[in-house]
């Protein structure tokens, strides 16, 4: 009978939009720790990052490390973030087709990166395609040749 009443109360709350909390309640701050007391590792790292001003750099590094989760496996297989400076993210693509695709998705990518890093952190996405190396000179050329006319002429 108690289970039926509980189920009925949950159904009534769902209709009103007042479902009970599913996550546990957080405890208060508790007693303050002295400076020499041991700290939780995560808290110590967070304090260190804040003291040194490395919070943004650590967040950007985290985004670069989770690139496939953020942009999806298809895009991540052909692109990789290279650098972040002054609100601009440089992304390297392995082909001109993927570079063009990233350029078309630039606004969406800026929005998604700002969701991860905080609004206004990323303002621009710059994309570099594959860089062709200069043609080798010297040993691979025959001196005195006249080009294709040597063979077919």
């Amino acid at each position: 009978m108690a289970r039926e009443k509980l189920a009925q109360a949950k159904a009534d709350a769902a209709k009103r939009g007042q479902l009970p909390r599913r996550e546990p309640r957080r405890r208060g701050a508790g007693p303050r720790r002295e400076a020499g007391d041991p700290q939780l590792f995560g808290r110590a790292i967070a304090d260190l990052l804040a003291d040194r001003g490395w919070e943004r750099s650590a967040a950007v590094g985290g985004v670069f490390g989770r690139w496939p989760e953020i942009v999806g496996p298809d895009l991540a297989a052909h692109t990789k973030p290279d650098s972040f400076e002054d609100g601009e993210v440089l992304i390297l693509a392995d082909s001109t087709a993927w570079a063009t695709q990233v350029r078309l998705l630039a606004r969406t990518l800026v929005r998604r990166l700002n969701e991860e890093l905080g609004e206004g952190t990323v303002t621009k996405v710059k994309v570099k395609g594959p860089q062709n190396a200069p043609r080798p000179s010297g040993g691979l050329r025959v001196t005195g040749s006249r080009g294709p006319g040597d063979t077919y002429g």
Side-chain angles (χ1 to χ4, degrees):
M1 180 135 159
R3 288 185 183 151
E4 292 175 5
K5 290 292 183 183
L6 179 61
Q8 182 62 37
K10 285 184 178 179
D12 291 341
K15 288 179 186 175
R16 291 190 311 266
Q18 299 173 342
L19 288 176
R21 293 177 146 206
R22 293 186 185 224
E23 67 271 358
R25 293 180 185 234
R26 295 185 180 184
R27 296 181 190 163
R32 301 279 301 174
R33 292 186 174 161
E34 296 297 322
D37 287 347
Q39 293 185 28
L40 296 173
F41 184 72
R43 182 67 193 170
I45 294 296
D47 289 345
L48 175 69
L49 292 175
D51 290 344
R52 304 286 173 116
W54 295 341
E55 292 167 316
R56 179 172 280 179
S57 298
V60 169
V63 166
F64 283 13
R66 294 182 300 116
W67 185 249
E69 297 171 26
I70 293 170
V71 299
D74 293 336
L75 190 61
H78 300 281
T79 61
K80 69 176 185 175
D82 186 58
S83 65
F84 174 79
E85 192 173 316
D86 298 329
E88 182 177 289
V89 176
L90 176 63
I91 298 174
L92 304 177
D94 63 2
S95 71
T96 55
W98 280 104
T100 302
Q101 181 70 19
V102 172
R103 286 184 191 103
L104 293 172
L105 294 172
R107 285 186 183 166
T108 306
L109 195 54
V110 167
R111 183 178 40 81
R112 181 68 180 101
L113 291 172
N114 280 330
E115 286 174 6
E116 293 288 327
L117 297 171
E119 196 60 38
T121 304
V122 177
T123 57
K124 185 177 179 182
V125 171
K126 186 175 179 181
V127 184
K128 280 182 109 176
Q131 301 297 316
N132 293 333
R135 297 185 92 188
S137 61
L140 298 178
R141 299 191 185 271
V142 178
T143 55
S145 72
R146 295 177 306 173
D150 284 353
T151 307
Y152 301 106

